[in-house]
Amino acid sequence: MEKITIAIDGYAGCGKSTTAKGVAKELGYIYIDTGAMYRAVSLYFTQKRIDFYQDTDVLLNAVKEIQIDFVRDPQTGENLTRLNGQVVESEIRKPQISNIVSLVSIHASVREAMVAQQRQMGHAKGVVLDGRDIGTVVFPDAELKVFMTAEMEVRAGRRLAELQQKGVATTLEEVIENLKERDRIDTTRKIAPLKQAADSIVLDTTDLVIDQQIALVSQWAKQRMHNFQQNEHRN
């Protein structure tokens, strides 16, 4: 069956990454965690003490030094993010990175570099990507676009549980404030802001568990693949 590109966009805490991973596993596709890529850039900037508040020549040169890819954990089967060959999965999930990733990702030089790497990874199709501009900028011709949303309290509760599971100490109030600020920055930035693609399917996950989200998106993907196959036979 013809492979397609699946673009999942939406707000933080809606289950985008977990859903994307599950759909990729269900379909035998490759999962590309674009959010982790921007987190890795943020980590690199903090490690190198690069001022990410301004789009300077120093920042531009630093971006050229960054190469991000993913490897599979042989024990868990999970994707692990690598920054210039080093696994940084745990470091990029810490609150200090969450607090700055939206500020780092607004820069044109950062987005251009990451979009180029994302397109290179997904050029052969058979991929699932999640982020904030996948269906509008990275793969505007994706055969299936999904835009995920959920109520703030639900989003914050999910993110808090995720952080606590990883041993990160924080509160629900802190998570809500972080999500609100990220929403503000992501939706108002001049370059590739978070917005729903006109041809995307809206998926409100407020009252859905992860298995239901994965099942719905997988069903939509299989229907798209079936439709494309039928169209090819007609032609």
Side-chain angles (χ1 to χ4, degrees), residues 3-124:
K3 290 185 176 181
I4 65 173
T5 297
I6 302 172
I8 301 178
D9 291 308
Y11 298 95
C14 293
K16 294 193 306 297
S17 296
T18 307
T19 299
K21 291 176 187 176
V23 171
K25 183 177 181 180
E26 171 72 18
L27 301 177
Y29 278 23
I30 296 170
Y31 168 60
I32 301 174
D33 187 348
T34 64
M37 297 175 72
Y38 289 105
R39 285 174 174 270
V41 174
S42 302
L43 176 64
Y44 185 83
F45 285 175
T46 58
Q47 290 175 337
K48 301 296 182 180
R49 298 185 178 181
I50 293 169
D51 179 9
F52 51 80
Y53 289 95
Q54 302 179 58
D55 206 351
T56 62
D57 289 340
V58 174
L59 184 146
L60 179 61
N61 290 329
V63 171
K64 296 176 181 177
E65 300 170 353
I66 298 173
Q67 182 63 44
I68 299 168
D69 63 355
F70 301 94
V71 294
R72 189 173 296 278
D73 187 320
Q75 295 182 333
T76 65
E78 292 292 320
N79 268 21
L80 298 177
T81 308
R82 291 200 309 182
L83 169 61
N84 293 337
Q86 298 295 316
V87 174
V88 293
E89 189 63 33
S90 60
E91 291 94 326
I92 65 173
R93 305 298 175 181
K94 293 181 178 178
Q96 54 265 39
I97 299 300
S98 297
N99 291 337
I100 67 170
V101 64
S102 291
L103 297 173
V104 170
S105 62
I106 65 174
H107 295 290
S109 56
V110 173
R111 301 205 72 83
E112 288 170 5
M114 292 304 101
V115 168
Q117 292 189 31
Q118 291 158 18
R119 286 174 175 162
Q120 185 176 12
M121 292 180 200
H123 75 280

Side-chain angles (χ1 to χ4, degrees), residues 117-133:
Q117 292 189 31
Q118 291 158 18
R119 286 174 175 162
Q120 185 176 12
M121 292 180 200
H123 75 280
K125 296 187 179 294
V127 292
V128 184
L129 303 92
D130 71 288
R132 286 162 177 75
D133 63 348

Side-chain angles (χ1 to χ4, degrees), residues 190-205:
K190 294 181 179 179
I191 302 171
L194 167 64
K195 63 180 180 179
Q196 179 189 339
D199 55 347
S200 65
I201 301 173
V202 176
L203 178 59
D204 188 331
T205 69

Side-chain angles (χ1 to χ4, degrees), residues 223-235:
Q223 186 60 52
R224 291 292 169 89
M225 288 186 278
H226 177 70
N227 291 344
F228 284 126
Q229 191 172 36
Q230 283 191 324
N231 289 336
E232 285 183 358
H233 286 160
R234 293 194 190 103
N235 296 332

